[in-house]
């Protein structure tokens, strides 16, 4: 149960003064439906009204607060509403005009009576040789000067949501901040000179300078640390729960692994051997394994997966390998099955295509234990799929699997081990915040003999030259990928639609051109990709759906249109689709040039990174630095935690502190029963890490 002290923060924003259902719906778009969501939406800007010059010292375009005397009202002539109502004002230095369009004269006469002194605030303009402020933001009696805020926070807005309304709602949320128990170590708070959580929240919502909006501000640092600590503590609790829950020892006798190693036409790299040692140690332990293997494109993760599966089978258990697409599942099957031909290990492929008696036969064989390894898409974990004794689950390229989906996966087998593989190198900061519940291994080394892909950047104006180069490659019996960023033409965005490019290339190059994009049905996509895989198609025009998957050794050219619009990590993944055979391969990055016929400085720097290195881990770090965590995988469904205040890239030092702190907390107070432990439970609920608290109770 959430602590009662937090209940006022988890109520609907309609409980705030002046927030009805319509305003609540608008606030929901930019912040969220609850008061806590509004609290965690910090100001993004600041209106500074502290400048108090005399009239003639005010500069054009400057936001000022002036103390003026009202001299004269000049209403517009009758019937001429396009002319503004003018109020002439003065101070010791000179005159300024306040201009109001479509104004009510009774309102202005009441608020700006002739001869009265007023404080007015707004942006100064120069008009007809004089100074004016059009529609001042504030008009205040000097006796009531406190009513004019010197600093006004600026919040994210949406259509029809006014800044004044949003500010008032946020202020109402801040006023509901309860005095929460301190969950941080007092020594840390003293060292960093951090305020309490409620004080930090109040301060963050009342910035008084641009510096107060940065990550260096002590209030924001405190709040970011709280959020990171909630993330790291939740992951630590999940790790603890896993280590505490019974696993099974899968040690094996090495017979099958040695047989397959002997059948391999190559030796494993040092990195592959190191990762296998880590996996086998985990599998032999009495606790459950949940390990992430990060391997760059072409680093040989499938061989590692196969040897891990064989370790489980040597121990008398079954193994399952899940791939994100049918074509990738099929490729895994076609790689693994021949290597097992000389052993008595049975391997089967199960996809959504399997129907009727064929599917039933596979399910029956699996349940009776006749099938040792099952490879397939998510269909292998459907409700009607039962294993006799599932010991190892391998999930390939499922970075969209969240923490609790991984936990649920383990329940398919009795104390099953889980190995997650990804070809997307994850920067360390994101790995800590996203995969902190797992042990992490990296395969950075490439197998010997793989030639680096020649990467070049060209302007889109050279499209016909590229088309001719593609024609020559196809005539040599090579295959080509051509990637575009959109499915259909959009008048508002000048990006080449994949359908338009397909029609153009088909006209130029003939019938050996295929098209695949995300809006096609799975069966249609698979049919085209299979035709390319079987060399029935020479050129595959596609969106980024081919980022993960197809292994075509004869593909030697990757063309990417509007490369400046893609993330570096994504471009690297796409580039990894070529260079898998023994021929030299090329990646052509086509960019839209600016008015000078050049590539912008930022875009040039990004593409240069790609040209200079093929180390996916270096590229991933640079991509994260340039684009931030939100866009890192180019998908809102990435599975990365959606931090409201913290930024895993800018707050790396805080993240490391939070990880160390959470490790220490769990070692000293594993059930969070001490005074600080109870306060930390409040922190977990505050940042909606409720699932982690439940693990305390279930354990």
């Amino acid at each position: 149960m959430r602590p009662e002290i937090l209940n006022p923060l988890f109520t609907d924003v309609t409980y705030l003064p002046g927030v009805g259902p319509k305003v609540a719906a608008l606030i929901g778009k930019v912040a969220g439906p609850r008061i806590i969501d509004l609290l965690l939406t910090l100001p993004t800007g600041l209106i500074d009204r502290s400048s108090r010059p005399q009239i003639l010292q005010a500069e054009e375009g400057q936001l000022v607060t002036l103390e003026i005397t009202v001299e004269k009202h000049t209403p517009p002539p009758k019937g001429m509403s396009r002319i503004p109502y003018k109020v002439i004002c003065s101070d010791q230095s000179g005159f300024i005009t306040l201009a109001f369009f479509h104004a009510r004269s009774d309102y202005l006469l009441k608020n700006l009576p002739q001869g009265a002194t007023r404080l007015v605030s707004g942006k100064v303009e120069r008009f007809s040789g004089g100074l004016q402020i059009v529609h001042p933001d504030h008009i205040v009696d000097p006796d009531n000067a406190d009513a004019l805020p010197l600093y006004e926070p600026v919040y994210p807005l949406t259509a029809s949501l006014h800044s004044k309304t949003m500010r008032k709602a946020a202020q109402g949320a801040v006023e509901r901040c309860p005095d929460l128990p301190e969950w941080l170590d007092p020594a840390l708070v003293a060292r960093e000179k951090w305020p309490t959580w409620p004080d930090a929240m109040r301060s963050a919502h009342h910035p008084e300078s641009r510096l107060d909006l940065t990550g260096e501000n002590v209030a924001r640092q405190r709040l970011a640390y709280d959020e990171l600590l909630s993330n790291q503590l939740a992951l630590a609790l999940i790790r603890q729960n896993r280590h505490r829950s019974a696993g099974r020892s899968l040690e094996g006798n090495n017979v099958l692994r040695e047989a397959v190693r002997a059948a391999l036409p190559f030796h494993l790299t040092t990195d592959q051997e190191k990762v296998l040692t880590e996996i086998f140690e985990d599998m032999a332990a009495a606790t459950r394994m949940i390990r992430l293997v990060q391997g760059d494109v072409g680093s040989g993760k499938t061989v590692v997966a196969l040897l891990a599966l064989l370790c489980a089978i040597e121990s008398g258990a079954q193994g399952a390998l899940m791939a994100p697409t049918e074509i990738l599942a099929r490729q895994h099957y076609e790689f693994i099955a021949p290597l097992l031909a000389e052993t008595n290990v049975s391997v089967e492929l199960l996809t959504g295509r399997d129907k009727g008696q064929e599917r039933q036969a596979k399910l029956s064989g699996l349940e009776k234990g006749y099938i040792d390894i099952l490879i397939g898409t998510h269909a292998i974990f459907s409700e009607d799929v039962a294993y006799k004794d599932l010991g190892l689950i391998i999930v390939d390229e499922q970075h969209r699997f969240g923490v609790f989906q991984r936990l649920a996966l383990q329940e398919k087998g009795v104390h099953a081990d889980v190995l997650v593989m990804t070809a997307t190198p994850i920067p360390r900061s994101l790995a800590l915040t996203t995969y902190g519940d797992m042990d992490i291994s990296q395969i950075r080394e490439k197998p010997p003999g793989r030639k680096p892909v020649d990467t070049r950047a060209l302007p889109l104006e050279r499209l016909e030259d590229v088309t001719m180069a593609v024609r020559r490659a196809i005539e040599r019996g090579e295959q080509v990928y051509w990637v575009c960023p959109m499915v259909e033409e959009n008048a508002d965005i000048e990006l080449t639609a994949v359908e338009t490019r397909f029609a153009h290339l088909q006209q130029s190059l003939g019938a050996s051109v295929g098209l695949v994009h995300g809006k096609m049905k799975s069966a249609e996509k698979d049919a085209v990709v299979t035709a390319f895989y079987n060399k029935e198609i020479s050129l595959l025009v596609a969106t980024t759906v081919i980022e993960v998957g197809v292994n075509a050794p004869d593909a030697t050219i990757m063309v990417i249109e509007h490369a400046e619009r893609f993330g570096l990590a994504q471009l690297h993944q796409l580039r990894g689709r070529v260079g898998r055979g023994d021929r030299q391969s090329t990646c052509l990055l086509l960019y839209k040039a600016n008015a000078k016929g050049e590539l912008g400085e930022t875009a040039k720097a990004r593409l240069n990174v790609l040209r200079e290195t093929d180390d996916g881990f270096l590229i991933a770090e640079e991509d994260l630095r340039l684009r931030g965590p939100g866009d890192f995988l180019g998908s809102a469904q990435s599975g990365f935690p959606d931090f409201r205040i913290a930024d895993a890239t800018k707050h790396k030092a805080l993240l490391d502190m939070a990880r160390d702190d959470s490790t220490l907390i769990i070692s000293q107070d594993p059930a969070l029963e001490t005074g600080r432990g109870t306060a930390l439970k409040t922190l977990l609920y505050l940042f909606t890490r409720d699932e982690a608290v439940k693990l305390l109770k279930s354990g």
Side-chain angles (χ1 to χ4, degrees):
M1 289 287 288
R2 184 190 303 122
E4 277 188 35
I5 196 170
L6 293 180
N7 286 345
L9 300 182
F10 283 82
T11 53
D12 196 272
V13 291
T14 51
Y15 281 84
L16 296 172
V19 180
K22 284 185 181 176
V23 171
L26 296 172
I27 290 173
K29 286 182 181 179
V30 295
R34 303 162 307 179
I35 290 171
I36 184 66
D37 299 318
L38 197 48
L39 265 185
L40 297 176
T41 304
L42 298 186
T44 54
L46 176 70
I47 298 170
D48 184 350
R49 302 187 186 282
S50 61
S51 178
R52 300 280 295 262
Q54 291 200 315
I55 290 172
L56 291 190
Q57 293 170 333
E59 296 175 11
E60 187 177 359
Q62 186 182 7
L63 184 66
V64 297
T65 300
L66 304 174
E67 186 167 340
I68 52 87
T69 300
V70 180
E71 299 290 345
K72 180 183 175 185
H73 281 245
T74 308
K78 278 194 175 179
M80 301 185 72
S81 59
R82 296 175 73 177
I83 295 177
Y85 188 116
K86 296 178 180 177
V87 182
I88 314 301
C89 304
S90 68
D91 68 7
Q92 292 174 337
S93 71
F95 292 88
I96 191 165
T97 300
L98 308 183
F100 302 87
F101 289 88
H102 308 292
R104 284 177 27 228
S105 57
D106 57 340
Y107 170 81
L108 293 177
L109 287 165
K110 181 184 174 186
N111 283 279
L112 290 162
Q114 195 167 331
T117 302
R118 290 289 182 265
L119 292 173
V120 294
S121 188
K123 191 173 283 187
V124 175
E125 297 176 0
R126 192 164 288 281
F127 181 73
S128 295
L131 296 175
Q132 72 171 13
I133 296 176
V134 179
H135 288 278
D137 301 324
H138 295 275
I139 301 169
V140 174
D141 188 318
D143 293 338
N144 194 23
D146 290 348
L148 195 156
L150 291 186
Y151 307 100
E152 287 183 316
V154 175
Y155 291 92
L157 298 173
T158 186
S160 302
L161 179 60
H162 302 295
S163 54
K164 190 175 179 181
T165 306
M166 184 66 175
R167 265 197 298 274
K168 186 181 175 186
Q171 181 55 39
V174 171
E175 286 168 4
R176 289 175 73 102
C177 271
D179 283 327
L180 299 176
E182 182 58 83
W183 46 73
L184 296 187
D185 179 17
L188 174 66
V189 173
R191 188 186 80 205
E192 300 296 332
K193 299 183 173 61
W194 281 343
T196 63
W197 185 83
D199 284 345
M201 193 56 79
R202 283 188 276 270
S203 177
H205 280 276
H206 293 95
E208 294 187 358
S209 74
R210 299 282 163 200
L211 288 174
D212 289 347
L213 301 170
T214 69
E216 303 307 307
N217 171 266
V218 289
R220 287 192 176 225
Q221 284 231 331
R222 154 84 207 225
L223 297 174
Y225 185 76
D226 289 332
E227 188 169 27
L228 291 169
L229 182 60
S230 74
N231 163 264
Q232 290 298 296
L233 184 57
L235 292 171
L237 288 169
I238 292 164
R239 277 199 308 273
Q240 172 185 253
N241 191 63
R242 174 165 55 83
H243 291 150
R244 202 168 50 192
S245 59
R248 60 191 293 188
S249 178
L250 300 172
E251 207 156 353
N253 56 15
N254 225 15
V255 172
L256 295 173
R257 281 172 281 175
E258 286 301 323
V260 167
R261 277 177 182 270
L264 290 173
F266 51 80
H267 292 292
L268 299 189
T269 64
T270 306
D271 274 6
Q272 285 173 310
E273 294 287 12
K274 179 171 75 68
V275 168
L276 280 168
T277 300
E278 291 168 349
I279 291 168
F280 295 148
E281 283 175 0
D282 281 359
M283 292 177 72
T287 53
R288 290 190 192 188
M289 171 177 79
I290 179 156
R291 181 171 286 277
L292 171 71
V293 175
Q294 290 178 258
D296 207 346
V297 177
S299 60
K301 294 182 300 299
T302 310
V303 178
V304 169
L306 172 58
L307 292 170
L309 288 165
L310 292 176
C311 178
I313 290 150
E314 289 167 359
S315 307
Q318 294 167 298
L321 170 56
M322 179 169 77
T325 64
E326 195 167 305
I327 186 73
L328 190 55
R330 198 170 295 280
Q331 283 178 191
H332 280 319
Y333 177 77
E334 288 171 4
F335 173 78
I336 287 172
L339 290 171
L340 298 177
E342 301 302 313
T343 70
N344 59 354
V345 176
S346 65
V347 57
E348 273 293 355
L349 179 70
L350 182 71
T351 68
R353 286 192 195 183
D354 290 305
K355 307 284 185 213
Q357 287 185 324
E358 186 182 6
R359 178 180 170 85
Q360 211 48 51
K362 288 180 181 179
L363 294 185
S364 175
L366 193 67
E367 193 168 10
K368 289 174 181 172
Y370 302 149
I371 295 172
D372 298 307
I373 298 174
L374 186 65
I375 300 172
T377 56
H378 59 273
I380 66 173
F381 293 118
S382 301
E383 277 189 37
D384 63 336
V385 178
Y387 296 79
K388 183 183 181 186
D389 182 14
L390 180 59
L392 176 64
I393 298 163
I394 300 182
V395 183
D396 190 19
E397 284 305 345
Q398 286 298 108
H399 46 240
R400 287 167 177 82
F401 253 49
V403 172
F404 291 96
Q405 286 166 302
R406 293 195 284 272
L407 284 174
L409 206 57
Q410 289 185 310
E411 302 312 315
K412 259 294 177 184
V414 180
H415 312 310
D417 287 335
V418 174
L419 190 64
V420 179
M421 303 194 302
T422 178
T424 306
I426 310 295
R428 181 179 174 277
S429 56
L430 291 189
L432 281 182
T433 58
T434 308
Y435 299 117
D437 61 309
M438 310 169 79
D439 299 305
I440 298 177
S441 297
Q442 291 185 344
I443 308 177
R444 298 184 77 118
E445 195 179 354
K446 301 271 175 66
R450 276 201 72 161
K451 295 177 183 174
V453 177
D454 182 15
T455 305
R456 305 177 192 180
L458 301 167
L460 274 165
E461 283 72 20
R462 293 190 57 187
L463 192 69
E464 286 310 310
D465 293 344
V466 173
T467 306
M468 294 305 295
V470 165
R471 180 193 295 279
R472 291 192 294 273
I474 290 171
E475 287 169 355
R476 292 193 299 267
E478 298 170 25
Q479 289 180 289
V480 179
Y481 294 101
W482 193 302
V483 175
C484 300
M486 291 178 66
V487 177
E488 298 159 346
E489 289 287 8
N490 183 328
D492 300 325
I493 308 173
E494 290 185 28
L495 298 183
T496 308
V498 68
E499 290 172 339
T500 305
R501 183 60 66 227
F502 168 68
H504 167 256
L505 291 170
Q506 198 174 42
Q507 195 173 7
S508 302
L509 303 173
S512 67
V513 184
L515 170 68
V516 60
H517 58 72
K519 290 191 176 179
M520 293 165 67
K521 290 179 179 171
S522 293
E524 292 175 315
K525 275 192 291 193
D526 286 345
V528 177
V529 173
T530 302
F532 185 72
Y533 182 56
N534 293 334
K535 302 178 191 171
E536 296 158 23
I537 291 172
S538 300
L539 173 59
L540 186 61
V541 183
T543 54
T544 54
V545 292
I546 54 103
E547 184 181 336
V548 168
V550 198
N551 181 25
D554 289 324
T556 59
I557 297 178
M558 167 65 74
V559 181
I560 305 171
E561 285 198 53
H562 287 282
E564 74 279 6
R565 299 295 185 102
F566 291 86
L568 285 179
Q570 197 173 31
L571 288 172
H572 178 64
Q573 291 288 305
L574 290 167
R575 177 171 64 178
R577 297 296 110 211
V578 297
R580 294 176 165 238
D582 51 10
R583 302 188 202 187
Q584 178 60 53
S585 293
T586 306
C587 178
L588 300 176
L589 307 170
L590 302 185
Y591 62 84
K592 173 86 170 161
N594 59 23
K596 295 180 182 176
E598 300 169 347
L599 189 58
E601 284 304 312
T602 307
K604 189 188 289 184
R606 290 173 65 248
L607 296 188
N608 278 344
V609 170
L610 209 67
R611 291 173 58 199
E612 289 163 8
T613 181
D614 65 349
D615 184 329
F617 290 89
L618 283 178
I619 289 168
E621 289 288 354
E622 186 63 11
D623 198 22
L624 181 66
R625 188 183 70 78
L626 290 167
R627 298 203 305 155
D631 291 326
F632 176 72
L633 284 178
S635 170
Q637 305 303 314
S638 64
F640 289 153
D642 186 15
F643 290 127
R644 304 291 298 268
I645 297 170
D647 182 325
T649 52
K650 294 174 185 168
H651 292 128
K652 283 183 180 177
L654 294 181
L655 176 58
D656 286 336
M657 281 163 54
R659 180 170 173 80
D660 292 345
D661 198 4
S662 60
T663 304
L664 185 64
I665 290 161
I666 294 300
S667 69
Q668 294 179 344
D669 184 15
L672 300 185
E673 291 173 324
T674 63
R676 186 186 176 197
T678 304
L680 283 162
K681 285 183 202 169
T682 303
L683 171 71
L684 291 169
Y685 278 111
L686 183 67
F687 285 100
T688 57
R689 301 287 197 270
D690 305 31
E691 295 291 337
V693 185
K694 286 175 191 170
L695 292 178
L696 284 170
K697 294 167 185 174
S698 65

